[in-house]
């Protein structure tokens, strides 16, 4: 989704802005632009397409002289991705430039009012309305701070704003509502960004803005104001991950690097939370009494995080012996959910900024439920608004398609299940110890799966020509198939669907014909025979079958199907943790064979901060 950077200090702004934008490229965008203030004038350059075009256009930023500026990568919402709609947008006076993430919901109404006052518009964007409205207020009152205040009162919807006015060439303005924005503190410099990866090279001293806040940045520091425009002090956060974590480190793609990082990531997410064979969640503030008193349990998330929730439903129901509802956040928020005091809503999000997930969290909270979030990005909005947070500690995830965040979310959810089950008295000693032992063994087992990379690449070469794929599975394998299918389709653009095997004959099997590729997931031992029957069912219709099973069943499976992948045996509830790895690699190599832009698939964004 769109990215914002801002800089004010002693150095030339443009190269810093371009570098910051480069680090936000992974979020997905279709155009980019920068505005720099120098010599009392604003200079703007923007263009459709990759940042490399903007860099070339500005000779790596050297064409724009000035020590203050804002930059933006745009992911089109209002108006086509082209040069005109790219940000920054200028006011009619040419003295104000604005970059914006989010959606201004009342922009049409505001635009109408401005048209009636004689304003004209160059672009189709809601952001240009922001620039012109600010111009209108500034024209009226002559005080820029007051004009910004009036602007914020008039806007409805979601925004992270970066604003420059040529009449105040020593300061940047920033405002936030329902879209991430953070402030960076440097030596004689201040920074603004929508994502910490843009700033890590310059500063590790960060403040996260909250909704309704306005900040004024200068080379002397940052002043922050609350909703009532009273100056406030905010907590500073130190970012401690290394800059290398956001670099490819010799891998061809971030996705491959992040797939390979999973053993370490899962180890970090779990090892410190297991002490002497016991699960210790010291970051959880819930007391045993509160845990025992939990009413209904919901898991709410989007995309792959929702798929983790699907695995979680099977595992938590098994360990807690109670119903767990797993809901898509975008549906939950508008469903008048039956949730209230005493209920627990587990919110899962890598970015901690997904707008639908955030809205679902707020809905549940408003109704009195307790919120426990499983989040990767420290200090993100979802983390800050939750009653409890279990961080996944996966480090920065840059590839749009999630891999290590998925694995660590699942690892944390499994730990939570064991921990709750023990307190609730629903997990017996044997399951507890099997789960703990299994979780501790996962990193080493994942490493063994990763060693199959070359073989998986060969299978991918054989399968890369398919245009329709079906993933099938039962129980945990069904939950896993959802993720396997999403991974494949989002980066390779192959049409792929995931089905609960038992559902096939209720309609979908009519699509299976000679040569259709079916990926049959059969890792879950108790239902292996049923999985085999489903394999035979699709083979009878001519399907080519690639099966995923456990090592001890691989030979039996190989006699039946065209291609086999296997994972080591473990406690059944942990099988999706291992099973997802070959599916991620399969998707990766298929996309590689098809020449796709793996880290930045078309139309997708890393952090979905619009509805
Ligand atoms: C797919 C993927 C997305 C995200 C979804 C939720 O590979 O990454 O489906 O899982 O957009 O994002 P978060 O977890 O940041 O809330």
């Amino acid at each position: 989704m769109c990215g914002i950077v801002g800089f004010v200090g002693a150095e030339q702004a443009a190269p810093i802005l371009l570098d910051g934008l480069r680090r936000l490229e992974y979020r997905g965008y279709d155009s980019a632009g920068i505005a720099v203030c120098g010599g009392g004038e604003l200079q703007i350059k923007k263009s459709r397409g990759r940042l490399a075009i903007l860099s070339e256009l500005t000779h790596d930023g050297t064409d724009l002289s000035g020590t203050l500026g804002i930059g933006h990568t745009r992911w089109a919402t209002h108006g086509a991705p082209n040069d005109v709609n790219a940000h920054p947008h200028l006011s009619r006076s040419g003295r104000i430039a604005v970059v914006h993430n989010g959606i201004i919901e009342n922009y049409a109404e505001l635009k109408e009012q401005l048209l009636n006052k004689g304003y004209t518009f160059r672009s189709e964007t809601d952001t240009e309305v922001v620039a012109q409205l600010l111009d209108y207020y500034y024209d009226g009152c002559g005080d820029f701070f007051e004009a910004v205040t009036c602007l914020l009162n008039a806007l409805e919807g979601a925004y992270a704003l970066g604003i420059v006015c040529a009449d105040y060439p020593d300061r940047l303005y920033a405002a936030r509502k329902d879209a991430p924005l953070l402030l960076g503190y440097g030596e004689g410099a201040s920074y603004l960004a929508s994502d910490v990866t843009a700033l890590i090279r310059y500063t590790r001293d960060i403040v996260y803005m909250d909704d309704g806040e306005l900040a004024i940045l200068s080379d002397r520091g940052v002043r922050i104001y609350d909703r009532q425009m009273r100056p406030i002090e905010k907590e500073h956060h130190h970012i401690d991950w290394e800059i290398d974590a956001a670099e490819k480190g010799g891998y061809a793609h971030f996705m491959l690097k992040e797939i390979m990082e999973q053993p370490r990531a899962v180890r970090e997410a779990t090892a410190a939370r297991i002490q002497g064979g016991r699960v210790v969640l010291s970051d959880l503030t819930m007391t045993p009494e509160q845990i025992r008193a939990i009413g209904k349990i919901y898991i709410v998330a989007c995309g792959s995080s929702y798929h983790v929730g699907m695995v979680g439903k099977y595992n938590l129901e098994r360990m807690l012996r109670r119903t767990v509802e797993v809901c898509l956040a975008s549906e939950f928020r508008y469903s008048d959910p039956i949730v209230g005091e005493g209920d627990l809503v587990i919110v899962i999000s890598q970015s901690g900024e997904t707008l639908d997930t955030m809205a679902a969290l707020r809905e549940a909270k408003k109704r009195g439920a307790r919120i426990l979030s499983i989040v990767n990005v420290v200090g993100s909005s979802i983390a800050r608004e939750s009653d409890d947070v279990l961080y996944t500690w996966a480090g920065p995830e840059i590839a749009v398609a999630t891999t290590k965040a998925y694995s660590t979310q699942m690892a944390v959810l499994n730990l939570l299940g064991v921990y709750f089950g023990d307190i609730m008295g629903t997990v017996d000693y044997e399951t507890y110890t099997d789960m703990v032992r299994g979780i501790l063994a996962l990193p080493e087992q994942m490493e063994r799966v990763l060693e199959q990379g070359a073989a998986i690449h060969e299978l991918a070469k054989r399968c890369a020509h398919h245009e329709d794929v079906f993933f099938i599975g039962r129980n945990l394998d069904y939950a896993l198939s959802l993720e396997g299918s999403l991974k494949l389709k989002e980066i390779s653009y192959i049409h792929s669907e995931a089905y609960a095997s038992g559902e096939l004959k209720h309609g979908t099997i009519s699509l299976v014909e000679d040569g259709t590729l079916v990926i049959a997931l059969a890792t879950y031992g108790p239902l292996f025979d049923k999985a085999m029957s489903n394999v035979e069912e699709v083979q009878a219709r001519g399907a080519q079958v690639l099966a995923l099973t456990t090592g001890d069943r691989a030979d039996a499976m190989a006699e039946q199907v065209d291609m086999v992948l296997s994972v080591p045996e473990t406690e059944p509830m942990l099988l999706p943790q291992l099973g997802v790895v070959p599916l991620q690699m399969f998707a990766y190599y298929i996309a590689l064979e098809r020449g796709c832009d793996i880290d930045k698939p078309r139309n997708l964004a890393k952090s979905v901060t619009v509805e």
Side-chain angles (χ1 to χ4, degrees), residues 301-307 348-355 357 374 382 397 399-403 405 409 483 486-487 490-491 604-608:
C302 299
S304 294
S305 298
Y306 167 77
H307 297 161
I348 308 178
S349 176
Q350 186 285 130
S351 60
E353 301 292 352
T354 303
L355 190 77
T357 311
I374 297 177
I382 288 174
E397 192 178 62
V400 164
T402 184
T403 52
Q409 287 166 351
E483 179 60 6
L486 178 64
K487 223 61 326 162
E490 68 180 330
I491 60 168
L604 293 181
K606 183 64 184 165
S607 174
V608 185

Side-chain angles (χ1 to χ4, degrees), residues 284-539:
L284 205 66
T285 63
M286 289 179 84
T287 62
E289 292 67 38
Q290 285 171 325
I291 292 167
R292 280 190 280 268
I294 292 171
K296 291 193 290 287
I297 298 180
Y298 286 85
I299 302 177
V300 178
C302 299
S304 294
S305 298
Y306 167 77
H307 297 161
V308 170
M310 286 293 287
V311 172
K313 174 182 167 66
Y314 286 106
N315 286 354
L316 293 191
E317 286 191 343
R318 197 134 147 222
M319 289 189 271
L320 310 184
R321 301 314 304 155
R322 61 177 66 207
T323 307
V324 176
E325 292 273 354
V326 52
C327 308
L328 290 165
S330 53
E331 290 297 314
F332 180 90
R333 61 182 291 195
Y334 295 122
S335 66
D336 192 5
I338 307 167
V339 62
E341 218 148 300
D343 297 338
L344 180 71
V345 174
I346 302 173
V347 173
I348 308 178
S349 176
Q350 186 285 130
S351 60
E353 301 292 352
T354 303
L355 190 77
D356 279 323
T357 311
M358 184 72 203
L361 178 160
R362 287 182 179 161
E363 188 60 43
K365 204 168 175 179
K366 198 171 78 192
R367 291 167 188 247
R370 189 178 179 105
I371 313 293
L372 187 165
S373 64
I374 297 177
V375 172
N376 191 35
V377 177
V378 175
S380 55
S381 306
I382 288 174
R384 283 180 291 137
E385 292 200 21
S386 301
D387 298 301
D388 282 288
V389 191
L390 292 174
Y391 283 113
T392 49
W393 300 326
E397 192 178 62
I398 307 292
V400 164
T402 184
T403 52
K404 62 175 179 174
Y406 174 94
S407 293
T408 51
Q409 287 166 351
M410 200 189 292
V412 170
L413 198 53
N414 280 328
L415 282 177
L416 186 72
V418 178
Y419 183 76
F420 276 5
D422 184 42
I423 291 173
M424 290 174 176
T426 46
V427 165
D428 58 32
Y429 175 78
E430 200 184 325
T431 310
Y432 190 98
T433 47
D434 283 354
M435 280 297 277
V436 168
R437 211 175 298 130
I439 289 169
L440 287 172
L442 279 174
E444 189 269 328
Q445 289 183 312
M446 288 174 120
E447 264 154 26
R448 275 160 50 203
V449 177
L450 289 171
E451 284 164 11
Q452 298 174 39
I456 296 173
H457 194 170
E458 285 311 309
L459 288 184
K461 283 183 188 158
R462 282 172 66 188
C463 298
H465 63 282
H466 284 277
E467 291 303 334
D468 289 292
V469 177
F470 293 93
F471 282 74
I472 58 170
R474 286 174 186 266
N475 198 274
L476 283 168
D477 282 323
Y478 168 54
L480 178 60
S481 74
L482 295 169
E483 179 60 6
S485 173
L486 178 64
K487 223 61 326 162
L488 182 66
K489 76 178 107 182
E490 68 180 330
I491 60 168
S492 73
Y493 316 141
I494 292 176
H495 167 243
S496 164
E497 295 190 40
Y499 275 92
S501 308
E503 269 296 293
L504 271 184
K505 52 183 148 320
H506 297 288
T508 314
I509 202 158
S510 64
L511 292 169
V512 176
E513 54 186 11
D514 238 3
T516 304
L517 179 62
V518 174
I519 302 186
L521 307 187
T523 65
Y524 188 59
L527 294 175
F528 183 76
D529 292 342
K530 300 257 178 225
M532 283 304 248
S533 306
N534 292 121
V535 164
E536 285 175 39
E537 207 169 68
V538 293
Q539 282 180 320

